[in-house]
């Protein structure tokens, strides 16, 4: 049984006043806690028979089930169903919904969020998070329509619905400002209220609750499935979320490189960046020729054979008239221009490191898969290639870590190494500290784990890059 619930639900409404109680489960750590708190309140009010739980499936964008060390770990959709059942909702009252569109033959076919992004032409942004409406809230709301139509006729009044979510203040400033209870829709057919029963729960309280929970949490929260250390992804929704932290994005690219490639294809096809603040995918020609300097890094697949001489602008463009100091918004003081170029270079270095890590990971995973059917000389060739990729991948990540900590004081690096539980000596210089951080991060990547698995498998069969004495 789960740990006793010590946190009280936030601003509990009168549950008996609703015709439908609709908790929405993502399959993440917070929705399990929300379901426990909410179902306790529903049973106490004697209205647990009015509960229908919903999961809005994101399809391929969700964290899928995995098998690790012979153990199967469920994905998000399966976890949502387990969370509903664990707290007393019958299986026939848990509904999984997904957005669909008419297919060529007239039948409905899935219309994923990434398909919507490709059709819309741009990725969601802060201030315009249409993904939440298009892939989650709108899909569930549409699923209510048949029931609302029937009950409106039977009751002769608008249907009252309570939407219950597992959002918490700890997750961000926008959610901290969100009321724990509010009316989100009111018309002649339905009145929909929203309740956040675990809004005031801290992240530590959620993790502590899960230590005795009747359902597992998603494997992506851990460094590796089943580790129980909460050192993986900090959140669990879309695998690649535009609102995720940079660390989460790096981890996801390593864990789901094919999905990352698919996102990159949408970026190229639509000409829109996944997240502009993360990296600049399309260099500005004006910036390229600023002081005769071109970007030091180019993304894989970009044309590199076109010579662009340094100068005041592209070869075909007329020369620009010099601007006087303070003449207009285009002018930047010299120090600001230098800082701008430094930050731009760091972002490009980071993105290049992400892309190289993605391709290295995929190749190492492929080699590890091929190793089981290879022997002797063929296995040695695979091991040689994997070893080179391992060293290349680590060096790429080392440069990425260095770019990430650009401008960070050495004392902060020491604190970061210490906080990570790594050995640290006050006499170590900056490069050594960065090397320690990079090595610790690299060893937890799918690429490094794939190489270790391949090398261990080869060694058991007598194949090793280190000759026996």
């Amino acid at each position: 049984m789960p740990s006793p619930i010590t946190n009280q639900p936030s601003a509990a409404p009168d549950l008996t006043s609703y015709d439908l109680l609709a908790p929405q489960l993502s399959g993440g750590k917070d929705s399990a806690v929300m379901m426990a708190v909410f179902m306790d309140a529903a049973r106490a009010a004697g209205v647990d028979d009015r509960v229908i739980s919903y999961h809005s499936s994101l399809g391929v964008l969700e964290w899928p089930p995995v098998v690790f060390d012979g153990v199967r770990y469920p994905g998000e959709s399966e976890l949502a169903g387990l969370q509903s059942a664990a707290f007393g909702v019958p299986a026939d009252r848990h509904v999984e919904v997904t957005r669909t569109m008419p297919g060529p033959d007239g039948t409905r076919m899935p219309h994923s969020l990434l398909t919507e992004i490709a059709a819309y032409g741009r990725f969601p942004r802060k201030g315009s998070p249409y993904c939440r409406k298009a892939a989650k809230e709108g899909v569930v709301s549409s699923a209510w329509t048949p029931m609302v139509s029937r009950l409106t006729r039977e009751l002769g009044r608008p249907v009252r619905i309570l939407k219950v979510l597992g959002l918490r203040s700890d997750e961000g400033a926008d959610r901290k400002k969100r009321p724990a209870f509010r009316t989100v829709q009111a018309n002649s057919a339905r009145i929909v209220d929203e309740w956040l029963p675990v809004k005031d729960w801290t992240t530590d309280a959620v993790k502590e609750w899960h230590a005795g929970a009747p359902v597992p949490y998603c494997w992506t929260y851990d460094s590796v499935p089943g580790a129980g250390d909460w050192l993986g992804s900090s959140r669990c929704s879309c695998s690649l979320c535009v609102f995720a932290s940079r660390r989460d994005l790096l981890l996801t690219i390593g864990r789901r490189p094919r999905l990352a490639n698919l996102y990159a294809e949408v970026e190229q096809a639509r000409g829109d960046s996944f997240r502009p603040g993360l990296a600049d995918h399309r260099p500005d020609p004006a910036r390229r020729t600023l002081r005769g300097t071109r970007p030091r890094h180019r993304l894989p697949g970009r044309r590199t054979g076109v010579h662009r001489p340094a100068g005041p602008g592209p070869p075909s463009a007329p020369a620009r008239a010099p601007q006087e100091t303070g003449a207009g918004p285009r002018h930047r003081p010299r120090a600001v221009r230098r800082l701008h170029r430094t930050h731009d270079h760091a972002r490009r270095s980071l993105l290049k490191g992400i892309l190289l890590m993605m391709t290295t990971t995929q190749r190492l995973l492929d080699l590890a898969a091929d190793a089981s059917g290879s022997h002797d000389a063929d296995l040695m060739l695979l091991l040689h290639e994997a070893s080179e990729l391992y060293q290349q991948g680590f060096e790429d990540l080392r440069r990425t870590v260095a770019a990430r900590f650009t401008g960070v004081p050495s004392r902060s690096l020491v604190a970061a190494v210490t906080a990570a539980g790594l050995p640290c000596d006050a006499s170590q210089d900056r490069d050594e500290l960065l090397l320690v951080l990079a090595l610790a991060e690299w060893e937890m990547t799918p690429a490094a784990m794939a190489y270790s698995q391949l090398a261990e498998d080869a060694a058991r069969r007598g194949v090793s890059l280190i000759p026996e004495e």
Side-chain angles (χ1 to χ4, degrees):
M1 292 300 293
S3 303
I5 297 173
T6 56
N7 296 53
Q8 296 299 314
S10 301
D14 178 10
L15 301 186
T16 63
S17 66
Y18 294 96
D19 305 301
L20 171 63
L21 301 172
Q24 297 185 20
L25 303 172
S26 68
K29 65 182 187 301
D30 297 330
S31 65
V33 177
M34 175 274 288
M35 197 63 180
V37 173
F38 165 69
M39 287 303 294
D40 278 353
R43 279 189 289 269
V47 290
D48 51 317
D49 59 332
R50 302 182 194 179
V51 176
I52 300 179
S53 60
Y54 292 85
H55 171 66
S56 182
S57 172
L58 301 174
V60 69
L61 306 189
E62 288 188 342
W63 287 105
V66 296
V67 176
F68 184 77
D69 279 351
V71 179
R72 184 183 182 278
Y73 296 88
E76 286 184 73
S77 288
E78 186 177 348
L79 282 169
L82 292 173
Q83 291 169 357
S84 180
F87 299 106
V89 178
D92 61 350
R93 295 180 70 82
H94 174 69
V95 181
E96 181 174 308
V97 294
T98 188
R99 189 170 185 180
T100 62
M101 63 181 296
D105 60 353
T107 58
R108 306 296 295 183
M109 58 185 293
H111 183 68
S112 74
L113 176 58
L114 191 57
T115 306
E116 177 70 15
I117 291 170
Y120 183 67
R122 69 187 299 266
F123 286 86
R125 299 279 187 266
K126 285 187 177 180
S128 179
Y130 69 86
C131 53
R132 297 169 185 168
K133 179 70 69 175
K136 299 178 182 178
E137 298 175 16
V139 181
V140 174
S141 182
S142 296
W144 294 335
T145 300
M147 181 187 302
V148 167
S149 298
R150 175 176 58 81
L151 288 178
T152 301
R153 291 192 300 269
E154 293 176 0
L155 300 173
R157 58 169 173 81
V159 178
R160 290 182 53 81
I161 301 173
L162 181 64
K163 177 171 69 172
V164 191
L165 304 176
L167 306 183
R168 295 183 301 107
S169 296
D170 271 8
E171 296 178 296
D174 59 332
R175 296 189 176 184
K176 187 174 184 178
K177 296 176 183 176
R178 193 162 175 163
F181 178 79
R182 61 174 180 165
T183 299
V184 295
Q185 184 181 12
N187 55 41
S188 60
R190 66 180 79 176
I191 298 172
V192 182
D193 292 338
E194 177 185 273
W195 183 33
L196 313 180
V198 295
K199 181 177 185 289
D200 297 327
W201 279 53
T202 64
T203 300
D204 287 342
V206 171
K207 292 177 180 178
E208 182 181 355
W209 180 88
H210 272 283
V215 286
Y217 58 80
C218 189
W219 60 269
T220 190
Y221 288 119
D222 287 336
S223 57
V224 295
D229 53 14
W230 296 95
L231 294 178
S233 302
S234 62
R235 296 172 69 175
C236 174
S237 182
C238 291
S239 299
L240 275 170
C241 175
V242 295
F243 306 112
S245 68
R246 184 170 299 185
R247 179 186 178 278
D248 280 1
L249 291 176
L250 284 167
L251 187 61
T252 299
I253 287 170
R255 287 174 164 177
R256 303 199 66 187
R258 290 184 178 89
L259 180 62
N261 275 326
L262 191 58
Y263 271 75
E265 290 290 337
V266 174
E267 279 189 309
Q268 289 186 348
R270 302 302 297 182
D272 186 55
S273 296
F274 173 75
R275 193 164 81 193
L278 180 67
D280 186 358
H281 288 245
R282 292 166 302 284
D284 180 357
R287 186 183 305 154
R288 180 182 296 141
T289 57
L290 185 63
R291 288 192 176 181
T293 303
R294 291 180 295 190
R296 299 183 186 181
H297 299 287
R298 295 180 181 273
L299 298 182
R302 279 200 186 279
R303 295 175 62 192
T304 57
V306 179
H307 174 66
R308 297 185 183 273
S316 59
R320 294 179 181 172
Q323 290 186 326
E324 297 180 1
T325 302
R330 284 181 177 272
H331 174 77
R332 291 189 181 98
R334 181 176 299 177
V336 176
R337 293 201 302 269
R338 188 182 304 117
L339 181 63
H340 178 76
R341 290 198 304 275
T342 301
H343 287 181
D344 182 64
H345 172 65
R347 288 196 302 268
R348 292 178 188 281
S349 299
L350 177 65
L351 182 65
K352 185 177 182 182
I354 291 173
L355 292 172
L356 289 173
M357 188 192 307
M358 181 173 67
T359 55
T360 299
T361 298
Q362 187 56 59
R363 182 58 183 155
L364 277 169
L365 291 172
D366 290 342
L367 290 173
D370 292 341
S372 60
S374 302
H375 305 278
D376 302 326
D378 290 338
L379 183 55
M380 179 63 78
L381 289 174
L382 288 180
L383 195 56
H384 269 291
E385 182 181 352
S387 177
E388 292 175 1
L389 287 170
Y390 179 94
Q391 299 300 328
Q392 173 191 330
F394 173 66
E395 182 59 26
D396 294 337
L397 181 60
R398 187 190 65 77
R399 288 194 291 266
T400 300
V401 170
R404 187 190 311 159
F405 285 94
T406 298
V408 175
S410 295
R411 63 178 180 275
S412 298
L413 283 178
V414 172
V417 172
T418 304
L422 303 171
C424 181
D425 188 336
S427 64
Q428 289 178 299
D429 61 23
R430 184 180 184 85
D431 289 340
E432 290 176 323
L433 294 171
L434 290 172
L435 184 65
V436 170
L437 286 170
L439 184 60
E441 186 170 327
W442 171 246
E443 289 179 345
M444 300 305 296
T445 63
M449 289 187 283
Y451 174 77
S452 297
Q453 177 185 340
L454 191 159
E456 290 172 4
D457 181 51
R460 284 194 294 268
R461 290 187 276 165
V463 177
S464 174
L465 294 177
I466 303 175
E468 297 181 358
E469 296 182 355

